[in-house]
Amino acid sequence: MNLKKLLLNGRVLLLILVIVGSILTIIAQGITYGLDISGGVEITVQLEKPVDQSTMEEVRISLENRLNTLGVKDITLEPWGDQIIKIRVANVTEEEANSIIDTINRQGVFYAEFNGVIFATGADIKRVDQVSYEPREGAWIVPFSISKEAAEKFAQLALGKVSYPVDIFLDPPVNSTLIVSQEIYTLMNSNEFQFVPDAKPLPQRLKEAFNIDVVPYTNQSVEEIAKLAQGKEKVILVGVNGELESTLKNLGIKVEKREPRAGEAADEFIRRILGLYGPYRLQEGLTTGEPHTELAISIGGSKEDIAAMGQAQVVSVVLRSGSLPVKVFVEGVNYIPPTLGEQFRKQVVQAGIVALLVVGLIVYLHYRKARIAIPVVLTSLSEVIAILGVAALIRWNLDLPSIAGIIAAIGTGVDQQIVITDELLGGRKKEKITKRSGILKRMGRAFFVIWASATTTIVAMSFLFKFFVGGLRGFAFTTILGVLIGILITRPAYAEIAKVLLSEER
């Protein structure tokens, strides 16, 4: 066999480069598994009534904001039609899954607080106008109006308190004890959340408004922390490592643990735990003692500042809802324990290996030639590696339907490799396989069949990918990806390899 000539063939060389690139990508980025493999919970949320796209987006953002305060990772919310939202959260325990469901079922609670006093709740927000950009202030503006009672209360509280912080909260951890790291405690008492020395620091505001105790962790004993938690609904461990969580739970105390996400700044971590938006600096015009029902929150930034605009829109949603624009109900819950997901993954790997071996055996029994069966199996394996490489590159969640799509693509690929092989073998009976014009003619017939088959598959799967959500999209995606990799890379390479192997057999 002229191995050197084969390796220098452009199509074979391209296949080798794709395989090497895919392996490196998989090693570097890893494969992201879907919920049914990594374990987690899928929650189907139904809206009270059908809504338009804008309202659906508000519900999605509002739910996402509320769930983010729980500190769960890998959460995705996917609207489905005009009345359903699919929520998927990977790598959570059953207890965390129940906490998520409780949060969804509970209507969000909005508070506006100033210097430790709650002056407005969701019921006091009367209107929220569209977010707009104000060039004179160089800021994105969220205009809103509050009730007369809330305006009068705020006017008394804010009298003469220029630049004091104004906080708004959505679902704060009311009546709880926060055990925080020394770093977090120092930041909560800093100017970041206080603005002026005369204003009350954030922990004091939390205590007076919501009965939230913020305690720095200084290696207190479990008994000391349990004593601090008496009369509280729960203890939240914030950036505190160790075995405190399990030990406190053994004492019958409700405990939640919060950790910063990768790349999350400490101040953003604090805001997420507390459900805090702000604080916002009080402008002088609102400190005269005169009630104002028309207010606005300014988010500094240029007109092109996408982050500032996004922040303003989030504040608008929080103000607009306090709770959600429409009522929602948990329609269905599918919880998969991580151990069961791990078992699925092993079974899928075993099934894939067995499928490749069986395919190789059947091809061998059909042609009675190992030099045909082995390249077919290796080509199919290279197709799997290429698909996984692309999935790792774009961070596609590889779930069970996606893997089924890979297997379907392999099956289609084997069929097409048999078409190529049959054309080459059939041609040998009539004319010499080394005759270039004859080879091109036969390959042309084979690839016409392959391209026609691939086109119909891609068209059919495209509709599935476009109009369905959930697992079926994964099946459609990997099937299309496998077919494209096959007709563009692996099938042409296999044809070159088969030509060389079969011509040497003569």
Side-chain angles (χ1 to χ4, degrees):
M1 183 194 305
N2 192 341
L3 184 60
K4 183 178 178 182
K5 182 180 177 182
L6 187 61
L7 292 177
L8 291 177
N9 182 284
R11 294 170 177 174
V12 177
L13 191 59
L14 176 62
L15 176 61
I16 294 172
L17 291 175
V18 169
I19 293 172
V20 172
S22 297
I23 292 173
L24 292 176
T25 304
I26 293 169
I27 293 173
Q29 306 236 111
I31 295 174
T32 305
Y33 291 105
L35 204 65
D36 44 10
I37 295 179
S38 62
V41 64
E42 180 182 79
I43 304 168
T44 302
V45 174
Q46 182 171 359
L47 279 60
E48 184 181 29
K49 58 184 179 182
V51 297
D52 57 24
Q53 189 174 354
S54 173
T55 306
M56 178 64 83
E57 183 63 11
E58 281 188 28
V59 174
R60 189 193 68 77
I61 293 174
S62 186
L63 280 175
E64 188 173 37
N65 288 335
R66 290 165 58 185
L67 295 179
N68 277 338
T69 63
L70 298 175
V72 293
K73 302 173 183 175
D74 301 328
I75 179 170
T76 59
L77 292 89
E78 187 176 13
W80 189 3
D82 58 5
Q83 207 172 353
I84 297 290
I85 294 179
K86 292 277 189 181
I87 300 176
R88 299 183 184 86
V89 192
N91 301 311
V92 290
T93 63
E94 191 166 4
E95 184 181 350
E96 289 172 324
N98 289 332
S99 177
I100 292 168
I101 294 167
D102 289 343
T103 302
I104 294 170
N105 281 327
R106 188 176 66 242
Q107 288 295 89
V109 182
F110 169 89
Y111 298 100
E113 172 269 330
F114 181 79
N115 219 27
V117 179
I118 297 170
F119 66 88
T121 64
D124 292 306
I125 304 299
K126 298 303 179 186
R127 191 187 74 253
V128 181
D129 295 331
Q130 292 295 320
V131 172
S132 62
Y133 185 73
E134 177 51 65
R136 287 174 298 180
E137 295 186 25
W140 288 90
I141 307 296
V142 187
F144 65 101
S145 66
I146 59 176
S147 67
K148 182 181 177 184
E149 294 76 16
E152 290 174 346
K153 188 174 183 180
F154 180 62
Q156 293 174 3
L157 293 169
L159 180 62
K161 294 184 172 61
V162 179
S163 295
Y164 272 50
V166 181
D167 307 313
I168 62 175
F169 292 87
L170 186 62
D171 289 337
V174 175
N175 192 30
S176 60
T177 299
L178 272 61
I179 306 297
V180 305
S181 66
Q182 192 63 50
E183 177 194 1
I184 295 292
Y185 186 76
T186 302
L187 183 58
M188 291 178 78
N189 284 279
S190 72
N191 192 49
E192 174 77 21
F193 293 96
Q194 191 172 350
F195 296 162
V196 292
D198 291 340
K200 294 176 181 175
L202 179 59
Q204 187 177 349
R205 304 201 299 268
L206 292 172
K207 173 65 178 176
E208 294 178 5
F210 304 111
N211 195 27
I212 297 173
D213 288 328
V214 180
V215 181
Y217 182 58
T218 53
N219 294 319
Q220 297 98 323
S221 66
V222 173
E223 289 74 19
E224 288 174 322
I225 294 176
K227 189 175 180 181
L228 291 171
Q230 284 181 353
K232 302 290 186 180
E233 290 185 10
K234 58 187 173 185
V235 171
I236 302 177
L237 303 176
V238 183
V240 177
N241 298 317
E243 298 179 351
L244 270 180
E245 183 182 11
S246 58
T247 313
L248 287 169
K249 282 182 178 177
N250 289 337
L251 295 177
I253 297 173
K254 185 178 180 181
V255 183
E256 295 177 3
K257 190 172 182 179
R258 301 282 190 266
E259 294 290 343
R261 296 169 177 161
E264 186 178 35
D267 60 323
E268 291 302 319
F269 178 41
I270 293 170
R271 289 183 175 90
R272 178 166 61 80
I273 294 164
L274 298 173
L276 169 63
Y277 298 83
Y280 302 101
R281 193 181 295 272
L282 183 62
Q283 300 301 311
E284 186 174 4
L286 298 175
T287 62
T288 60
E290 184 179 345
H292 296 270
T293 56
E294 299 295 325
L295 303 173
I297 291 177
S298 303
I299 310 292
S302 67
K303 193 172 184 179
E304 291 75 28
D305 190 340
I306 302 298
M309 183 181 67
Q311 190 180 349
Q313 288 173 336
V314 168
V315 171
S316 173
V317 169
V318 172
L319 287 172
R320 195 186 303 273
S321 59
S323 57
L324 299 169
V326 296
K327 288 185 178 179
V328 299
F329 308 93
V330 173
E331 185 68 17
V333 178
N334 181 24
Y335 176 68
I336 300 174
T339 50
L340 187 59
E342 180 62 26
Q343 187 179 336
F344 283 160
R345 182 164 55 181
K346 289 179 181 176
Q347 290 175 343
V348 165
V349 172
Q350 291 168 357
I353 294 172
V354 171
L356 279 174
L357 293 176
V358 171
V359 165
L361 179 62
I362 291 174
V363 173
Y364 174 75
L365 292 176
H366 180 69
Y367 292 107
R368 299 289 178 180
K369 298 177 189 302
R371 63 172 51 203
I372 294 178
I374 293 175
V376 167
V377 171
L378 291 179
T379 304
S380 299
L381 181 60
S382 67
E383 212 162 286
V384 174
I385 294 172
I387 294 172
L388 294 179
V390 175
L393 183 67
I394 64 174
R395 299 282 186 187
W396 182 266
N397 280 333
L398 206 64
D399 51 14
L400 291 178
S402 299
I403 293 172
I406 294 176
I407 294 173
I410 292 173
T412 306
V414 172
D415 289 345
Q416 294 171 355
Q417 288 172 73
I418 289 175
V419 171
I420 294 171
T421 307
D422 283 348
E423 281 293 336
L424 289 171
L425 290 174
R428 284 201 314 162
K429 296 174 183 175
K430 300 176 183 176
E431 52 187 314
K432 293 180 181 298
I433 197 166
T434 51
K435 189 177 178 181
R436 183 172 176 76
S437 60
I439 294 174
L440 291 176
K441 189 175 180 181
R442 291 192 294 278
M443 286 299 94
R445 284 200 300 268
F447 274 93
F448 175 78
V449 174
I450 291 170
W451 276 91
S453 170
T455 303
T456 54
T457 302
I458 290 173
V459 170
M461 289 297 117
S462 297
F463 280 100
L464 198 62
F465 183 79
K466 172 70 176 174
F467 295 107
F468 285 81
V469 298
L472 287 177
R473 294 191 73 192
F475 177 81
F477 174 76
T478 49
T479 302
I480 293 172
L481 183 60
V483 170
L484 287 174
I485 290 172
I487 60 175
L488 296 176
I489 300 171
T490 57
R491 236 68 82 218
Y494 172 77
E496 296 299 326
I497 295 170
K499 275 191 295 186
V500 172
L501 293 176
L502 294 178
S503 64
E504 288 181 349
E505 196 182 46
R506 288 187 311 110

